Amino acid sequence: MPSWQHHQLLTTHAIARSLPLSSQQFREFAGENQRISQKMVELTPEEKKTLITRNLQETLGEDKLTKVLKERDLKIYWGTATTGKPHVAYFVPMSKIADFLKAGCEVTILFADLHAYLDNMKAPWSLLELRTQYYEQVIKAMLSSIGVPLEKLKFVKGSDYQLSKEYTLDVYKLSSVVTQHDAKKAGAEVVKQVEYPLLSGLLYPGLQALDEEYLKVDAQFGGVDQRKIFTFSEKYLPQLGYEKRIHFMNPMALPLAVPGLAGGKMSSSEEDSKIDLLDSPANVKKKLKKAFCEPGNIADNGLLSFVKHVLFSLFKEGEGFEVCREAEHGGNVTFLKYEELEQYYAADKLHPGDLKATVEKYINRLLEPIRKIFETPALQKLSAAAYPPPAKVKAGAAPAAGADEDAPHRLDIRVGKVIEVARHPDADTLYVLKIDLAEAQPRTIISGLVKFVPEQELEQRLVAVLCNLKPSKMRGILSEGMVLCTSNADHTIVEPIVVPEKAAAGSRLAFEGYSGTPDEQLNPKKKVWEKLSVDLKTNSEGLAVWKDNFLLTPEGEKLSSKLANCAIK
């Protein structure tokens, strides 16, 4: 085993088990950190600035950055709301944090637990503490996985200071000068947008601005989607007598997209859109196999984004992106610069399958130390408690404590694209539809729309599909779901729900205000669909709702129908 891997393994296991390193191991660890520190001291302010700003999309306050670096090391914070499980895209900010540390910066990682609750209650209050603990463990494991020393890192929980008298008073002061328009605008790219926003979402940007002052930092780091919050902070902190901070912006979370989310960002709430940090090698292979990776396409390619923003920032001098191929397919090739790889791929000299196989190799190298850390019983227990398994009620069993049997998040409703329409050979009123749901194979779904919708209107149409009904045979053909439609009272008019044109096949639809994982399969004996469908309808404007909560795409667009005030079945 190479020495750096040996050191990495010792360090990660020590963190995971909270055990001290042996004397010899500690001396090795301290010696390496000392060498790293010496390298930091040798960097000039200009070299530090280059390291701090490389691969960023934008920096606000560059003059101030230059001034601070001439005087001392920079103090930076990065905050993350403790909502969904961190996934492989988190290596993007982690690799940038590694740059900050190499440049000698003092870095604070804020676990924004109150923010997680304020953002439309994405994290239930009862799970906030557990999720914060999970985030701390997994982020430490990620940093150790990429060989980042932790002695200049500080971890802070938002609720440890955001409930203080002083902070609360500043929230009130801020609310007296901030307009509702500015608060809503600042959170537009970050806070979940709904027609009737909760007051909590309007507080979110102000709290993030105040964090800069209460964490006593020079700069805040985030994605470019945070830009409006950053400019909000620059405008309003001085009105409270506080200093304007520097802001660093990464490109948006990389779009390692599978079919249905091609070009969209990786999402914790969309299981098929992300690679989990604890995914097995088999799951990594399965997800990458389905990832969107068009030959020659470098503009909308999540795999290349990952290579650029993570792998190349972690490679040591002389290391490169090594693609292993059979001789008849071009043989092995190593790229020492990302630009070389991008040009090579754009020229169709690298097959998508070879790119996927190589990225798979590097992802598994990053994930293996994390998997090993989370093999410990204590961390397995923490993971299960912070992110309870899907609400799946077995026949004859009672629901889990706190589970809401009548909540619509249990319905797995996805956007599908009809790619084939045929008449059922044994039933004049039924269509046999082939529907693309961004799965390995299109689903066969039987629909009774023959009397209501001509074949040509269904072909290539986007539809809303209930995907977790138990498959059942209809006149001898297995149906694997149901196309959701509206119908008038006497069932003389039936229309499929209208899906926004920009929605991608395979993306999951959700009801406003309800988060959670759908049941793997609805239990027919429990009549879950029958109970929930009673309140599923269109409102007076023809918008699809469940108890007045809109049915939304991941982008927040509403689904509708030509029929108002009608049931959806």
Side-chain angles (χ1 to χ4, degrees):
M1 179 186 290
S3 60
W4 70 269
Q5 287 184 333
H6 177 65
H7 161 71
Q8 181 186 56
L9 197 58
L10 293 175
T11 308
T12 54
H13 276 281
I15 291 171
R17 296 187 174 90
S18 299
L19 294 174
L21 298 169
S22 70
S23 299
Q24 178 61 29
Q25 292 164 353
F26 181 80
R27 282 193 295 272
E28 291 176 6
F29 181 50
E32 182 167 336
N33 284 340
Q34 187 175 10
R35 287 192 293 276
I36 291 169
S37 298
Q38 287 170 350
K39 282 187 178 181
M40 290 176 182
V41 173
E42 292 168 5
L43 293 176
T44 66
E46 193 56 41
E47 287 170 334
K48 288 182 179 180
K49 181 179 176 182
T50 299
L51 197 53
I52 288 168
T53 58
R54 73 169 178 172
N55 288 334
L56 291 176
Q57 183 159 321
E58 188 177 2
T59 299
L60 301 177
E62 198 163 337
D63 291 343
K64 183 175 181 179
L65 170 63
T66 302
K67 182 182 177 182
V68 171
L69 288 175
K70 287 179 180 177
E71 299 171 357
R72 56 175 172 79
D73 288 332
L74 197 70
K75 297 177 182 178
I76 302 175
Y77 106 82
W78 173 71
T80 180
T82 52
T83 53
K85 265 190 174 182
H87 44 72
V88 76
Y90 274 64
F91 274 112
V92 175
M94 291 304 104
S95 61
K96 193 62 224 168
I97 287 170
D99 280 347
F100 296 151
L101 291 167
K102 289 172 191 171
C105 301
E106 295 179 22
V107 179
T108 296
I109 292 181
L110 171 67
F111 298 117
D113 50 349
L114 292 186
H115 291 68
Y117 185 75
L118 290 175
D119 186 3
N120 213 48
M121 295 179 288
K122 282 184 179 177
W125 194 265
S126 59
L127 295 178
L128 282 181
E129 177 61 32
L130 290 168
R131 290 193 175 175
T132 301
Q133 292 175 27
Y134 180 86
Y135 265 66
E136 180 167 357
Q137 293 295 334
V138 83
I139 285 175
K140 284 182 176 178
M142 290 179 76
L143 291 168
S144 295
S145 167
I146 59 178
V148 175
L150 305 181
E151 77 274 5
K152 275 209 166 188
L153 259 181
K154 183 166 67 172
F155 297 91
V156 176
K157 187 169 66 171
S159 56
D160 285 344
Y161 67 89
Q162 290 167 347
L163 299 176
S164 68
K165 176 183 175 182
E166 295 77 16
Y167 190 94
T168 302
L169 183 57
D170 270 343
V171 172
Y172 286 130
K173 286 180 180 177
L174 198 59
S175 68
S176 72
V177 295
V178 174
T179 65
Q180 183 264 356
H181 171 269
D182 281 3
K184 187 174 181 180
K185 179 183 175 183
E189 302 296 326
V190 178
V191 179
K192 184 177 179 181
Q193 298 298 296
V194 294
E195 187 171 2
Y196 303 105
L198 298 173
L199 178 60
S200 58
L202 299 177
L203 292 175
Y204 192 111
L207 268 61
Q208 187 168 333
L210 287 174
D211 290 339
E212 296 177 348
E213 173 64 25
Y214 280 79
L215 292 171
K216 303 301 177 187
V217 295
D218 306 303
Q220 184 179 172
F221 165 60
V224 74
D225 57 331
Q226 304 263 336
R227 193 182 196 282
K228 290 177 181 176
I229 292 182
F230 291 165
T231 55
F232 172 94
S233 173
E234 292 185 3
K235 177 180 179 179
Y236 283 107
L237 275 191
Q239 294 188 36
L240 270 63
Y242 296 139
E243 194 177 336
K244 186 164 70 172
R245 264 60 180 194
I246 304 162
H247 294 104
F248 301 121
M249 281 165 275
N250 245 359
M252 274 293 287
L254 73 160
L256 192 57
V258 297
L261 291 175
K265 71 175 182 178
M266 205 179 278
S267 167
S268 295
S269 61
E270 293 283 343
E271 185 61 33
D272 291 338
S273 78
K274 66 186 179 71
I275 293 175
D276 192 272
L277 295 170
L278 302 181
D279 269 346
S280 66
N283 274 345
V284 172
K285 180 184 287 292
K286 178 183 175 183
K287 290 179 179 181
L288 285 178
K289 188 175 181 180
K290 294 193 292 183
F292 177 77
C293 188
E294 189 176 35
N297 184 345
I298 60 173
D300 186 19
N301 192 318
L303 298 175
L304 288 176
S305 295
F306 186 84
V307 174
K308 177 181 180 179
H309 293 288
V310 177
L311 298 182
F312 270 91
S313 69
L314 298 176
F315 287 150
K316 295 183 175 68
E317 191 174 344
E319 274 189 290
F321 186 73
E322 184 182 7
V323 178
C324 298
R325 302 181 294 190
E326 298 292 336
E328 59 266 30
H329 298 305
N332 297 347
V333 59
T334 299
F335 302 92
L336 297 178
K337 294 182 179 179
Y338 170 75
E339 292 73 19
E340 296 171 354
L341 169 63
E342 189 178 79
Q343 291 167 12
Y344 197 82
Y345 190 82
D348 275 339
K349 295 180 180 179
L350 181 62
H351 190 276
D354 292 322
L355 177 61
K356 288 183 179 185
T358 308
V359 171
E360 177 190 342
K361 172 182 70 177
Y362 284 105
I363 285 179
N364 279 320
R365 282 186 192 175
L366 290 171
L367 298 188
E368 189 54 33
I370 302 172
R371 294 180 189 125
K372 287 188 178 296
I373 286 174
F374 274 79
E375 286 175 358
T376 62
L379 290 183
Q380 287 184 359
K381 182 179 179 181
L382 173 62
S383 180
Y387 297 94
K392 184 169 62 175
V393 183
K394 295 181 179 179
D404 186 351
E405 276 197 278
D406 298 325
H409 71 267
R410 297 182 65 180
L411 304 177
D412 183 4
I413 304 175
R414 293 183 238 161
V415 176
K417 185 173 185 178
V418 180
I419 57 175
E420 185 180 312
V421 183
R423 293 290 189 98
H424 195 297
D426 299 318
D428 294 338
T429 60
L430 300 178
Y431 282 131
V432 180
L433 307 177
K434 294 288 185 182
I435 298 182
D436 176 16
L437 288 156
E439 297 174 320
Q441 299 292 332
R443 289 200 190 193
T444 299
I445 294 178
I446 310 300
S447 182
L449 288 170
V450 171
K451 292 181 179 180
F452 308 104
V453 185
E455 287 185 36
Q456 61 269 26
E457 286 188 22
L458 279 175
E459 288 176 355
Q460 303 304 307
R461 178 171 179 160
L462 292 178
V463 292
V465 180
L466 181 59
C467 295
N468 58 346
L469 289 173
K470 185 178 180 180
S472 61
K473 283 191 175 182
M474 298 183 71
R475 298 289 185 92
I477 298 178
L478 189 69
S479 182
E480 302 171 291
M482 181 171 70
V483 175
L484 294 181
C485 299
T486 47
S487 170
N488 61 357
D490 57 6
H491 204 66
T492 55
I493 304 175
V494 179
E495 285 280 346
I497 289 180
V498 178
V499 177
E501 291 181 2
K502 294 181 181 179
S507 56
R508 183 162 285 133
L509 305 171
F511 289 94
E512 179 184 47
Y514 287 89
S515 60
T517 306
D519 289 17
E520 186 176 307
Q521 186 178 103
L522 298 176
N523 188 336
K525 293 182 180 179
K526 294 291 182 179
K527 305 291 183 183
V528 179
W529 164 243
E530 288 78 3
K531 292 176 185 176
L532 291 171
S533 63
V534 170
D535 295 301
L536 186 56
K537 60 186 179 181
T538 56
N539 64 13
S540 58
E541 297 176 348
L543 298 174
V545 295
W546 187 85
K547 288 187 176 179
D548 297 325
N549 298 282
F550 297 110
L551 182 59
L552 305 172
T553 68
E555 294 74 34
E557 293 186 278
K558 298 168 186 172
L559 277 75
S560 62
S561 171
K562 298 175 184 177
L563 302 176
N565 296 316
C566 288
I568 296 176
K569 298 288 185 180

